[in-house]
Amino acid sequence: MRERAPEHQPDPVRPAAHTVPHGTSLNERGSFCSASCTCGWRGPARRARDRARADCHAHQREHGDHTPTPPPGDAAGAL
């Protein structure tokens, strides 16, 4: 039996989106603040930290994970 060419190999199994942990944090850049997550999600840049924090919480509620992880030593990351 012949071996399949690489382009005909089955796709590797990827973990389901719900198995990826969702650790969110806030990132400041100039006068803007944005939310990001360890799953790769990134919220829009906001001028108000409260709105960026709300984006974090909405993302966590959507994915059923309520464990925010602020970056160490960064006041903007405090949720």
Side-chain angles (χ1 to χ4, degrees), residues 11-67:
D11 291 333
V13 177
R14 294 184 181 168
H18 65 277
T19 62
V20 176
H22 294 273
T24 58
S25 62
L26 296 178
N27 307 304
E28 286 193 34
R29 187 172 204 167
S31 60
F32 290 92
C33 187
S34 63
S36 62
C37 182
T38 56
C39 73
W41 171 83
R42 187 170 172 94
R46 307 277 193 185
R47 286 195 182 266
R49 284 189 188 125
D50 288 342
R51 296 208 45 204
R53 241 181 246 120
D55 292 339
C56 281
H57 294 303
H59 177 73
Q60 290 169 340
R61 277 192 306 275
E62 183 178 322
H63 294 285
D65 188 356
H66 301 285
T67 55

